[in-house]
Amino acid sequence: MKVSDEPDVCSACNAETIGFDYHRQSFAVAPLLPETMSAQTPGASAVDLSPDRLEACCGYQTSEDDPCASLAALARVSSARARAPGAREGAHLANNDNVIGLRDLKRDLKASSTAPRYFVPSVPLLCNKVVSTCDDMPDLAAPCEGTVRVLIIDHYDSYTNNILQLLQGVKDDGEGHRYPEWKAVIVRYDQFSWDQFQTDVLPHFDAIILSPGPGRSDRTKDFGCNADLLRTVNVPVLGICLGHQGIATAFGGHLIEAPDIIHGQVSEVSHNGKGVLRGLPQLFAATRYNSLLVDERTIPSELELTAWTYDPESPSTRIILGLQHRSRPLFGTQWHPESICSTHGREILRNFRDIVFDYWKTSGSHNNWTGRPLSKNATIPSSLVRSGAILGDALSGNSPAQAIISKEHSSPAYRVKSVSLGTGPEARDVFEKLVLRRSLDGEVWLDSAKSRDCHSRNSYMASAAAGLYYRTTTRTLEVVQDQQLKLALHLETSFWDWLDYFQSSLIQGNTAALPAESLGQVAEVGQPLLQVGLIGSLGYELKSESLPGYSPSQPRSEQCRDSQLLFADRVLRLDHFTGEWNAFGLVRVGDDDPIGDFLQLTRRIGLAEMEFDDWIARLRARLSHDLSESRLSPASLPTFVSQDNLASYSRNVGAAKEAIRQGESYELTLTTRFEADHPTEEDPYRLYLSLRANNPAPYSAYLHFPYSDTVILSSSPERFLSIDINKITEMKPIKGTVAVSPDPAEDERRRLRLAADRKELAENLMIVDLIRSDLHNICQSESITVEKLMHVESYETVHQLVTTIQGRVVPAIGSVKVVERCFPPGSMTGAPKLRSVQILEELEQHRDRGIYSGSVGYICASGTVDQSVVIRTICKHRERLVLGAGGAITWLSDPASEWAEVMTKANAVTKSLPGPDSSVIEQSPPDMLSATRSANTSDYDLHDRVEPMSSPPLTSPRSRKRRASEGPSYFGHRADNAALISVK
């Protein structure tokens, strides 16, 4: 055998070397050695490289009959997996006598029938200025031990936090101690200046993940300084979606509009098995959210294509899904490994972790000569943890010293007492005779009018002891008792911060609530129970104080109150399963009344012990009688008229689709308003009786706020958020709605169509991933599970696609903060949440949604919470009745179908008509739909776009064989939802 004398070029610095290039990856190859090779032989390795061992360890099959096939297979194996023990790290091996050119070696092997079959790939073909390439993997004999400190740079995406679930691995140090494989901090891309980032942030991290996000990576306002980071910073980087596109554009690549705009759908990924894709099967399922793609024709020479799929409508059109740098550890995935329906996300992050370890284990110019082992339980400065987008308490799962005051308060000012009243009258009769209009401050009935399962097992009713009202426009909080203003505060902090303090310190901190075993009911996991506490509404416009990065684009025109909460110190509960009534009262332990004092009330909060006994005695006496006499009769609901019609709503759908086409959003929950007059003499409670009869729902509710002359009449089927006594939170988003048919056969067909509808499934999946991300703000990441994914639930008038998601709230986070960090409900915004809200404000002409799209429910003195999403709800304010309705707009949306869905939802509540001048319009093709209104927010402008270049479809050099007649299945392989089997 002869050594090749043809000069090759070092793949990193262009120095001349001798070796071979296999699939654009340079290796120097050691000589072939017999099975009895000695570790003392220069370039040899004592590692067992028999064919069986190679197949087991490397995943590549070898052949005794075809030495060339063995050689080609081993050439794919990263050199670090079998690096010679005596070889100097980073040595330039071109002059080593043991280095052989691949072309000559293969020729000699073919000519020799006695050639040995085992060989060792040595170090990569690099000079001593460079240690390793992006494809290097750790030595088999040196496992990756230590904690990787990773910085996740968020682009205000609503899926970024889900990456944390892929970073939950732990290791054993061999001495019985466990340490995390990762420690992560999430920061916003615009949080630091470039200079500050380089000096104060970057030195504390071993790796970076660039998150998904809306917008374009070639636009600084969407991608910040990340292009500079990619071009200049020596640290391993994984880019996801927008981050992946940024790797291309940072080095000169261009973006184009995707031939198959996909959001919330699953594609099959083909790949070359390199870098972060090492060891993954072909055609694995991956969830995509992208309108733009990297133009394959413009992929810079520094980058190589690693993953792709094909357009289901044009099987020869290749879609670029993965890139990596040829000589630096930069990797990109167009798909979202963190999605609930993506597979092999943990393996991708595990491969990235291996690469990070290999990168830092030696010093060289590639890492600024700062090679260092990664320590176990490595720390990140607390200042960076505190400045992260997710607070340290939620990231660590640990309760800090300033945790909320324990419920086992040493000297509580109040305690909750409960008494069983036995079975009794119907809920409606009790409410009318014992609660309705018994307090000047109002009353509430959380009415499970449609009792179907544990979510709607209980109904609650209460009269108010005081009321709290808040306006975001003036930041004014009003405290009211007996319809008299007792206190008006201009808040210097946010309303959420004030409410969190009031709930955690004043209510929970001073109240000995009943333990679970004393509540007279065994609740299922995630199902809370109310004792006493705050009951009311949180309006959609409170988003201005809960959404990070939000700023209003223009002053609000309406001055309505955005939060209306009643404090209930006496509550009645009806168990629909058993028919049993229970009474709960807040009893003062002594003379102190810290809640009343804090609110400056004239009438004390809570009851004295004797007052509680008297109240129970009166209840028993009343409930022993028939209360059904003189029932109030329902009043007919008026006909509502929309502010939109088919033509105007279709224009908004078109503008929403244009924003989606340009990559600004994945999904937009577009809404409209229906209105009707309300005569002053008409009792709104009688309207509610009609509503609960026509459209009973698990979260039906009647709430009366006399001070603001507001009444909420709700028939909501959707839970927003709950927290049970053990701090298990549950969210149940609804996306996908069809009307019930009176014909049983047709009704069943509708249910089945909904369960398999591509658009509706995509809508639901997008919100599921958004809500999972929201829960990372409040829960321990490893505790977040999807209990039920996209199940069809049937109600009186509609079938709906529902998902159930649970997680365990970090002990340090109070109930109000849980609601704040998830508000507004993701099912009412779309995704990503912030950018979608900004776009929707423009499309809806800055009309306040008010109570609609917010939440209604309670925050209990025990810390439990149950809030429903305000949909299928009429709000009476003074002489006007308002009903909101809408739906999620995706790229697959048809304007006429979306308008029909809006009308279906509105008519499920009451007779509703489109606005005047409604007419059927000719539907434009999706690519002709354009924005009709210019946005003028500081962060978003519907027309401020770098238009993607137009180009013919990209085709692969060979046509892919696929089941074209079957078309794409939603979850990757077939329509049997095979990708969902891992969901709990």
Side-chain angles (χ1 to χ4, degrees):
M1 253 177 291
K2 68 176 183 178
V3 176
S4 170
D5 57 2
E6 297 180 37
D8 283 336
V9 175
C10 172
S11 61
C13 70
N14 297 322
E16 286 191 348
T17 61
I18 296 176
F20 69 84
D21 188 85
Y22 184 84
H23 284 188
R24 301 177 181 176
Q25 172 63 61
S26 296
F27 287 90
V29 179
L32 297 181
L33 301 169
E35 283 189 286
T36 57
M37 62 188 177
S38 167
Q40 281 71 42
T41 304
S45 172
V47 177
D48 177 11
L49 293 177
S50 62
D52 290 342
R53 174 64 174 164
L54 289 169
E55 183 174 350
C57 294
C58 307
Y60 295 106
Q61 294 186 354
T62 59
S63 170
E64 292 187 346
D65 299 325
D66 184 4
C68 294
S70 298
L71 178 63
L74 268 175
R76 298 184 183 94
V77 182
S78 175
S79 60
R81 297 181 70 96
R83 186 165 292 164
R88 181 164 59 88
E89 291 288 340
H92 196 303
L93 300 180
N95 296 321
N96 189 322
D97 290 340
N98 294 315
V99 177
I100 301 173
L102 173 63
R103 291 177 295 276
D104 300 303
L105 184 56
K106 290 183 70 174
R107 183 179 64 247
D108 290 342
L109 282 169
K110 288 181 178 180
S112 172
S113 61
T114 60
R117 297 184 177 88
Y118 311 130
F119 59 96
V120 184
S122 186
V123 296
L125 182 57
L126 298 169
C127 70
N128 59 6
K129 296 178 182 177
V130 181
V131 175
S132 61
T133 68
C134 57
D135 230 11
D136 281 348
M137 292 298 170
D139 194 324
L140 288 174
C144 299
E145 294 184 352
T147 300
V148 174
R149 301 168 302 170
V150 61
L151 178 69
I152 303 174
I153 299 179
D154 174 43
H155 302 95
Y156 292 98
D157 194 68
S158 290
Y159 302 149
T160 300
N161 297 346
N162 293 331
I163 298 170
L164 295 174
Q165 278 204 297
L166 305 179
L167 308 178
Q168 297 303 309
V170 294
K171 291 274 189 179
D172 195 314
D173 65 0
E175 299 178 357
H177 303 109
R178 296 169 70 82
Y179 63 90
E181 292 183 337
W182 303 86
K183 282 193 176 177
V185 168
I186 300 177
V187 299
R188 311 290 188 199
Y189 78 95
D190 56 358
Q191 192 169 335
F192 301 96
S193 69
W194 178 234
D195 289 340
Q196 185 183 13
F197 178 83
Q198 293 181 90
T199 58
D200 299 342
V201 180
L202 187 61
H204 301 289
F205 293 93
D206 310 307
I208 292 173
I209 297 176
L210 297 179
S211 84
R216 299 175 63 101
S217 61
D218 54 9
R219 196 163 52 199
T220 302
K221 76 173 186 177
D222 293 331
F223 205 53
C225 298
N226 288 328
D228 293 327
L229 182 154
L230 289 164
R231 286 189 291 263
T232 62
V233 170
N234 291 316
V235 74
V237 177
L238 173 63
I240 298 174
C241 199
L242 184 71
H244 152 87
Q245 295 171 5
I247 292 174
T249 57
F251 292 96
H254 296 161
L255 302 179
I256 58 171
E257 182 180 315
D260 60 337
I261 292 177
I262 281 183
H263 297 286
Q265 298 176 57
V266 175
S267 295
E268 295 175 335
V269 178
S270 300
H271 60 92
N272 65 0
K274 299 177 69 173
V276 295
L277 305 177
R278 179 177 63 90
L280 271 60
Q282 296 295 330
L283 302 180
F284 65 85
T287 305
R288 289 170 55 197
Y289 295 97
N290 65 284
S291 300
L292 305 176
L293 288 172
V294 175
D295 186 346
E296 184 175 3
R297 298 166 303 183
T298 69
I299 294 177
S301 59
E302 299 97 325
L303 307 179
E304 65 174 311
L305 173 65
T306 58
W308 56 92
T309 190
Y310 292 88
D311 182 357
E313 303 300 325
S314 176
S316 63
T317 301
R318 185 160 67 173
I319 308 297
I320 307 308
L321 294 186
L323 294 170
Q324 72 179 43
H325 200 280
R326 295 187 187 279
S327 60
R328 293 176 54 204
L330 307 178
F331 308 87
T333 68
Q334 178 63 73
W335 71 94
H336 286 233
E338 79 286 355
S339 170
I340 189 64
C341 287
S342 286
T343 57
H344 301 290
R346 290 187 186 275
E347 288 89 338
I348 290 171
L349 269 295
R350 192 173 297 122
N351 285 338
F352 183 56
R353 183 174 182 271
D354 290 345
I355 291 166
V356 173
F357 269 91
D358 196 50
Y359 180 82
W360 289 111
K361 71 179 181 181
T362 56
S363 61
S365 60
H366 71 295
N367 56 18
N368 292 330
W369 304 96
T370 54
R372 50 181 165 71
L374 303 187
S375 61
K376 301 166 186 175
N377 279 312
T379 60
I380 298 171
S382 58
S383 59
L384 287 174
V385 175
R386 288 193 301 270
S387 67
I390 294 181
L391 296 187
D393 48 18
L395 275 174
S396 65
N398 296 322
S399 176
Q402 64 268 28
I404 59 172
I405 300 172
S406 170
K407 285 180 286 185
E408 285 77 29
H409 197 284
S410 57
S411 55
Y414 314 94
R415 64 188 179 99
V416 179
K417 294 189 66 175
S418 174
V419 173
S420 173
L421 302 173
T423 58
E426 293 183 19
R428 170 185 170 182
D429 296 325
V430 173
F431 183 73
E432 290 181 8
K433 299 301 190 299
L434 303 183
V435 179
L436 183 65
R437 290 186 281 273
R438 292 302 192 272
S439 169
L440 293 175
D441 294 313
E443 64 276 350
V444 296
W445 180 11
L446 303 181
D447 171 23
S448 296
K450 181 74 171 180
S451 180
R452 47 184 292 129
D453 55 25
C454 62
H455 299 89
S456 52
R457 177 174 179 175
N458 298 302
S459 289
Y460 301 95
M461 52 191 67
S463 297
L468 306 174
Y469 298 83
Y470 179 73
R471 287 187 175 97
T472 60
T473 51
T474 60
R475 302 181 70 88
T476 302
L477 176 74
E478 299 167 293
V479 178
V480 176
Q481 191 175 58
D482 299 330
Q483 289 204 55
Q484 301 296 314
L485 181 65
K486 301 298 180 180
L487 177 65
L489 295 173
H490 179 77
L491 299 186
E492 298 298 330
T493 184
S494 75
F495 171 72
W496 296 103
D497 286 345
W498 183 92
L499 188 62
D500 177 57
Y501 174 79
F502 180 61
Q503 165 68 20
S504 297
S505 298
L506 272 299
I507 300 177
Q508 274 186 265
N510 287 296
T511 301
L514 292 169
E517 59 271 17
S518 301
L519 295 177
Q521 190 177 115
V522 178
E524 296 188 25
V525 174
Q527 309 314 313
L529 295 171
L530 171 63
Q531 300 179 40
V532 297
L534 296 167
I535 309 175
S537 70
L538 300 168
Y540 177 77
E541 306 308 328
L542 284 169
K543 70 183 187 298
S544 64
E545 297 185 18
S546 66
L547 272 179
Y550 175 86
S551 59
S553 57
Q554 64 182 48
R556 288 171 52 196
S557 58
E558 299 185 29
Q559 299 295 315
C560 62
R561 291 166 176 87
D562 299 301
S563 174
Q564 302 179 90
L565 299 171
L566 303 179
F567 188 84
D569 56 9
R570 286 176 279 187
V571 174
L572 297 177
R573 184 188 77 195
L574 172 62
D575 184 338
H576 291 283
F577 286 9
T578 65
E580 181 182 12
W581 285 91
N582 283 78
F584 296 85
L586 186 68
V587 176
R588 295 188 300 275
V589 174
D591 293 331
D592 291 341
D593 179 21
I595 298 174
D597 293 343
F598 180 76
L599 298 178
Q600 298 184 19
L601 302 178
T602 53
R603 185 161 42 81
R604 306 178 80 185
I605 291 293
L607 304 168
E609 193 79 35
M610 184 177 297
E611 291 173 325
F612 177 81
D613 293 339
D614 290 343
W615 177 56
I616 295 298
R618 293 196 304 273
L619 285 174
R620 292 187 188 280
R622 294 299 305 273
L623 295 179
S624 64
H625 294 84
D626 182 8
L627 300 180
S628 61
E629 296 180 359
S630 305
R631 278 184 171 178
L632 297 174
S633 59
S636 297
L637 289 163
T639 298
F640 283 66
V641 178
S642 176
Q643 291 185 343
D644 279 297
N645 52 48
L646 174 60
S648 61
Y649 198 77
S650 294
R651 287 193 294 272
N652 283 342
V653 171
K657 291 183 65 173
E658 175 65 12
I660 292 169
R661 183 186 72 82
Q662 297 193 22
E664 299 301 329
S665 179
Y666 316 136
E667 175 180 27
L668 292 159
T669 303
L670 182 66
T671 71
T672 187
R673 175 185 292 189
F674 295 76
E675 294 187 352
D677 292 328
H678 179 260
T680 305
E681 66 277 5
E682 184 70 75
D683 183 358
Y685 173 72
R686 296 177 61 216
L687 298 178
Y688 176 69
L689 293 177
S690 291
L691 176 62
R692 76 186 296 266
N694 297 337
N695 191 44
Y699 299 98
S700 296
Y702 173 87
L703 300 95
H704 179 208
F705 304 97
Y707 183 72
S708 62
D709 195 6
T710 301
V711 182
I712 298 174
L713 322 173
S714 181
S715 60
S716 174
E718 180 175 356
R719 168 175 279 173
F720 167 37
L721 179 151
S722 67
I723 309 172
D724 72 8
I725 197 70
N726 296 310
K727 302 210 76 171
I728 300 297
T729 185
E730 180 179 277
M731 301 178 79
K732 285 176 64 71
I734 291 176
K735 279 296 171 194
T737 303
V738 295
V740 167
S741 171
D743 176 59
E746 170 60 22
D747 195 52
E748 182 62 18
R749 281 193 292 271
R750 292 184 181 185
R751 290 184 72 257
L752 294 175
R753 281 200 301 268
L754 177 62
D757 188 283
R758 180 183 175 208
K759 172 186 174 292
E760 304 292 0
L761 291 168
E763 284 184 20
N764 200 287
L765 175 57
M766 284 187 261
I767 300 305
V768 171
D769 280 342
L770 180 152
I771 284 175
R772 290 173 56 235
S773 186
D774 278 348
L775 288 180
H776 282 282
N777 288 306
I778 57 174
C779 293
Q780 300 164 9
S781 293
E782 67 274 12
S783 73
I784 299 171
T785 59
V786 178
E787 299 293 317
K788 293 181 180 179
L789 183 59
M790 293 182 268
H791 281 223
V792 175
E793 293 186 0
S794 299
Y795 298 89
E796 201 76 13
T797 56
V798 294
H799 303 295
Q800 301 195 298
L801 209 56
V802 184
T803 293
T804 303
I805 310 163
Q806 291 182 349
R808 182 177 295 277
V809 177
V810 172
I813 300 177
S815 302
V816 173
K817 284 297 178 184
V818 169
V819 179
E820 176 194 358
R821 294 184 189 182
C822 297
F823 196 89
S827 61
M828 302 308 296
T829 63
K833 189 180 279 188
L834 175 62
R835 185 68 62 91
S836 296
V837 163
Q838 293 167 335
I839 296 170
L840 289 166
E841 287 182 346
E842 301 298 330
L843 297 180
E844 296 174 9
Q845 298 180 304
H846 299 277
R847 292 193 302 254
D848 282 2
R849 292 189 183 181
I851 292 168
Y852 174 62
S853 299
S855 68
V856 159
Y858 65 79
I859 301 174
C860 180
S862 66
T864 62
V865 172
D866 206 356
Q867 297 279 321
S868 66
V869 179
V870 180
I871 56 175
R872 319 288 194 275
T873 297
I874 297 171
C875 177
K876 177 263 176 190
H877 181 60
R878 296 174 182 165
E879 288 80 40
R880 297 295 290 170
L881 298 173
V882 177
L883 167 67
I889 308 303
T890 72
W891 181 248
L892 299 176
S893 290
D894 167 70
S897 298
E898 294 297 339
W899 177 246
E901 181 177 328
V902 168
M903 295 304 296
T904 294
K905 292 173 177 176
N907 279 284
V909 177
T910 184
K911 183 178 180 180
S912 301
L913 300 174
D917 301 323
S918 177
S919 60
V920 177
I921 64 170
E922 182 179 354
Q923 183 181 338
S924 301
D927 60 346
M928 297 299 293
L929 292 168
S930 60
T932 58
R933 283 189 284 273
S934 175
N936 56 9
T937 68
S938 59
D939 297 317
Y940 174 76
D941 189 323
L942 211 55
H943 291 293
D944 181 15
R945 295 286 168 267
V946 179
E947 289 297 327
M949 66 176 69
S950 59
S951 63
L954 304 175
T955 56
S956 62
R958 54 182 172 78
S959 181
R960 182 189 187 206
K961 295 180 180 179
R962 61 179 291 127
R963 304 181 301 273
S965 61
E966 293 181 10
S969 61
Y970 180 74
F971 288 109
H973 305 294
R974 290 186 180 273
D976 57 0
N977 293 9
L980 301 182
I981 59 175
S982 63
V983 177
K984 182 176 178 182

